[in-house]
Amino acid sequence: MAVSRTEVPQDLADLFRARHLELVRLAALLVGDQASAEDVVQDVFLKVCARWDRLTESGVAVSYFRTAVVNGCRSVHRRRTIARRFGGTVEAALWAEPEPSAEAAVILAEDRRRVLRALATLPYRQREAIVLRFYGRLTEPEIAESMGISRGTVKSTLSRGLDSLGSRLARGGPGGPFPPVEGEER
Amino acid sequence: MNSMETELTSALDAAAETVRAQTLRPLMKPQARRARRVSPWLAPIAAASAVALIIGLAVTIAGHVHTPRVVPPAVVAATAPPRYYIDIAVNNNTSVRNQPPVVMVQSVATGAVIGRIASPAGTVPVDVAAASDDRTFYVAYQANDGIRIYSFSMTARGTLTPMTAIKGGFVDAPDNNAMLSPNIALSPDGADLALSVSSTTVHGEQQRGWNDVLVVISLRTGAHRVWQGGLYRPGEVLSIPSISWAGSGTLDFVSFWCTSGGDTLCTPASNTQVRTLSVAADGGSLAASTVLLSASARYPGIAAVAAGTSGRLYIMALSRADAKGDVAATVDQVSAATGAVQRVLYRRGAFPVTMGPNVFGLRADSSGQYLLAVIYSLHWEELSGPGAPHELPGTSSADGIAWLRITQAVLRIRVLLWA
């Protein structure tokens, strides 16, 4: 079934509606802020609309959504890295100070924030693998598919990432001297 | 799952829960396409935020001039523009699936994909360069343990050979961040490949730089010559975002220093420089380089340099255009000897950006007849017309581009594009 660019198939709309929050949350953990995360997912949605007729099985579609979101977040991160070199700024990270809201402050207590700040200092690929594993609860083959890398690379990336994270947490202690994360001014 | 992993899972779940369903913006439906002259990706762009879908347009500036009448007669005879370019497509518009970045050869005229090069397992392509034989190409890949350089060729029949690792094509970069992409450039004689890479020394202390090391690889022996140090400044972060060969044995590069460190914010870089370094020695300090051009009122931020022939430099500079934060960009031809402006090749007035000044890349060919620039957020309609800079089709989502000429030797144009 061919779909024009201005039509959104009902099954796609339903599927995306069901997955919208999940995808935005995944993206938010990768890019660090909700606004950018929503943009990434919006972009994915538009692309999927144009290709929906080729993605017929919902299982494939969900996997496709996730991979597309991961790729979109990676692109955002790359652009930010370059933008920073020329004085650009990025949105405050979810775990940055000051607290975005009292509610968030309760949800995201300092000890968790400390873990997230340490996570943010890892190389992006390691961070990506860790988020997919420990937030997305993906298996190594699923992570491999989402990141476009081999299972072995997933395993080594996760291992290195967890080792680095552990050493940084051990070194930093509560409120330790981690480098500031995206969006945090010194 | 050990205690740290439990703590990690809990922290990630908590952070995710700060994104609430009731705060999400509703998804926008695709917009109808405009009747004419609208690139397929403009509709998504209009709908999505620029942060998620920043598009860089490649702008070609023919013959450092736009019309034949202004080509200096003494310059070599005009040649046709290159027919193909290679790029690293981030969001491959032409594939069914949204694949990881992939190296593609595309037509300059139509953007049609001539071929795709599969990436080695566990790597992501980050930059490309073309050799003067028009048929050999180099790609820098980010791997877990560092940078790996591969090459591929185009056969006489126009087919692409598989990737092969070059001798000495591994640059150890422990803890290297994949997003701190290296720049690569091939020397005019094809003997050396230069890279600017990051030392990323994160050991509980401030990083000293992004791409703060220059490495020259001998393609014959695989030997590395390394230039590092000498330009670090206390409390600042050194970055080398652009490199270009000014003849064999000499490398020009852009350097700037940020006043904040780490993998974080870079405050406005007002102290950019174009420096030149003899790389004939076995390595050494970057302090051996000399300044060709410093930031000034005319060049408040030098973002890219391309060495041309006959002592010419091509400079891409950015400046704040207005209080809204819009940015202006210029591409000038200047004298490497005096810094005097010889010609304004391209000027773009205020254009909006969402993440600060953006200049992405600039490369000249050895004949001095073509320059390829990539500037963020240009509207292609304003650039079209006879003799004017124009967009390269099919580059809207490219990460890196190399032009190549198939029919004749000589031309090498490569540009780093951050879309």
Side-chain angles (χ1 to χ4, degrees):
Chain A
M1 177 188 67
V3 178
S4 81
R5 297 179 74 86
T6 58
E7 293 176 310
V8 180
Q10 190 58 44
D11 53 347
L12 170 60
D14 292 343
L15 183 59
F16 232 96
R17 195 174 296 117
R19 299 280 179 175
H20 190 196
L21 179 61
E22 169 192 332
L23 292 172
V24 171
R25 284 178 166 175
L26 172 63
L29 291 174
L30 293 172
V31 300
D33 70 281
Q34 182 174 337
S36 300
E38 288 184 66
D39 291 337
V40 168
V41 175
Q42 172 71 72
D43 180 27
V44 169
F45 176 66
L46 293 171
K47 288 178 179 172
V48 171
C49 285
R51 301 172 183 167
W52 183 240
D53 54 330
R54 303 183 195 181
L55 298 168
T56 53
E57 298 177 16
S58 61
V60 172
V62 170
S63 157
Y64 176 87
F65 295 163
R66 190 168 54 228
T67 300
V69 166
V70 168
N71 286 340
C73 293
R74 195 177 298 157
S75 296
V76 169
H77 188 81
R78 298 174 76 124
R79 292 169 193 137
R80 284 178 175 177
T81 301
I82 294 300
R84 281 187 212 111
R85 297 178 180 177
F86 297 102
T89 58
V90 297
E91 295 76 6
L94 291 174
W95 46 86
E97 304 288 352
E99 315 292 356
S101 69
E103 183 184 24
V106 172
I107 296 172
L108 207 51
E110 177 54 29
D111 57 339
R112 290 169 172 168
R113 209 181 294 272
R114 188 176 68 91
V115 174
L116 295 170
R117 282 202 298 268
L119 181 64
T121 65
L122 297 181
Y124 185 78
R125 278 161 64 95
Q126 292 178 8
R127 202 188 322 167
E128 197 174 83
I130 287 174
V131 167
L132 291 171
R133 176 70 186 89
F134 292 98
Y135 170 70
R137 272 76 164 178
L138 300 189
T139 63
E140 286 177 356
E142 289 172 329
I143 296 172
E145 183 186 1
S146 293
M147 294 179 66
I149 58 180
S150 69
R151 290 187 195 184
T153 304
V154 170
K155 194 184 290 287
S156 62
T157 302
L158 277 172
S159 174
R160 289 182 187 189
L162 291 173
D163 286 348
S164 296
L165 187 66
S167 63
R168 289 172 198 210
L169 285 169
R171 190 175 62 229
F178 297 117
V181 298
E182 292 176 355
E184 283 188 326
E185 298 278 2
R186 286 201 162 204
Chain B
M1 189 176 286
N2 61 33
S3 61
M4 187 193 74
E5 292 174 356
T6 303
E7 198 177 352
L8 178 61
T9 302
S10 167
L12 288 170
D13 287 345
E17 285 176 19
T18 63
V19 177
R20 315 305 292 263
Q22 58 268 32
T23 64
L24 294 183
R25 296 194 307 263
L27 287 167
M28 297 176 66
K29 295 178 181 178
Q31 302 297 307
R33 299 181 66 179
R34 289 165 60 182
R36 60 184 287 271
R37 302 189 67 187
V38 177
S39 179
W41 40 264
L42 284 183
I45 285 179
S49 158
V51 174
L53 200 60
I54 294 170
I55 296 298
L57 301 184
V59 179
T60 63
I61 303 172
H64 22 222
V65 288
H66 309 147
T67 59
R69 60 186 166 79
V70 289
V71 174
V75 174
V76 296
T79 57
R83 295 173 55 193
Y84 304 101
Y85 62 93
I86 60 177
D87 68 39
I88 300 170
V90 175
N91 296 306
N92 182 0
N93 293 332
T94 58
S95 71
V96 175
R97 297 285 300 271
N98 192 2
Q99 298 289 343
V102 62
V103 175
M104 296 199 304
V105 178
Q106 292 181 259
S107 162
V108 168
T110 66
V113 177
I114 307 301
R116 293 183 177 84
I117 299 293
S119 300
T123 67
V124 176
V126 288
D127 201 11
V128 292
S132 58
D133 66 2
D134 301 333
R135 300 184 184 281
T136 306
F137 312 101
Y138 296 87
V139 184
Y141 287 91
Q142 175 74 51
N144 268 346
D145 50 356
I147 308 300
R148 294 184 181 275
I149 312 293
Y150 290 76
S151 70
F152 71 97
S153 299
M154 178 174 276
T155 67
R157 294 185 174 183
T159 58
L160 304 178
T161 63
M163 285 283 188
T164 56
I166 69 168
K167 186 185 292 186
F170 173 68
V171 178
D172 187 14
D175 215 12
N176 201 342
N177 187 323
M179 303 310 134
L180 302 178
S181 302
N183 300 302
I184 64 172
L186 191 68
S187 63
D189 61 7
D192 294 312
L193 188 75
L195 302 86
S196 67
V197 298
S198 176
S199 60
T200 54
T201 51
V202 182
H203 298 297
E205 57 190 47
Q206 187 181 60
Q207 284 182 317
R208 293 182 297 178
W210 290 305
N211 287 358
D212 55 335
V213 181
L214 291 179
V215 179
V216 176
I217 301 173
S218 167
L219 295 177
R220 186 176 60 83
T221 66
H224 288 195
R225 287 123 65 195
V226 178
W227 281 262
Q228 183 179 13
L231 295 183
Y232 293 128
R233 297 175 178 177
E236 297 185 346
V237 174
L238 168 67
S239 181
I240 300 176
S242 176
I243 59 175
S244 178
W245 287 91
S248 296
T250 303
L251 202 58
D252 291 350
F253 62 92
V254 172
S255 60
F256 73 77
W257 292 263
C258 299
T259 53
S260 66
D263 183 19
T264 58
L265 299 177
C266 173
T267 53
S270 60
N271 48 3
T272 54
Q273 295 176 341
V274 176
R275 304 179 72 97
T276 188
L277 175 70
S278 170
V279 292
D282 289 335
S285 167
L286 290 170
S289 62
T290 56
V291 177
L292 292 177
L293 197 64
S294 289
S296 62
R298 181 176 183 86
Y299 299 120
I302 304 169
V305 62
T309 56
S310 307
R312 296 175 177 130
L313 280 179
Y314 301 102
I315 302 296
M316 182 179 286
L318 291 178
S319 59
R320 291 279 182 192
D322 55 36
K324 293 187 303 180
D326 287 357
V327 170
T330 63
V331 177
D332 290 355
Q333 175 188 312
V334 302
S335 163
T338 66
V341 177
Q342 297 174 326
R343 187 185 299 271
V344 177
L345 298 175
Y346 177 73
R347 190 189 302 279
R348 178 71 162 92
F351 58 96
V353 296
T354 57
M355 294 196 300
N358 293 263
V359 165
F360 304 108
L362 186 65
R363 285 300 160 117
D365 74 306
S366 58
S367 73
Q369 294 195 55
Y370 296 97
L371 190 67
L372 183 61
V374 179
I375 301 175
Y376 160 72
S377 196
L378 295 179
H379 298 288
W380 77 299
E381 292 93 340
E382 299 176 19
L383 301 175
S384 59
H390 62 279
E391 171 198 358
L392 280 179
T395 60
S396 60
S397 61
D399 229 15
I401 285 180
W403 263 9
L404 53 134
R405 167 161 293 200
I406 301 302
T407 55
Q408 301 177 36
V410 179
L411 191 59
R412 295 178 306 283
I413 297 181
R414 191 278 273 152
V415 70
L416 175 66
L417 160 64
W418 290 97

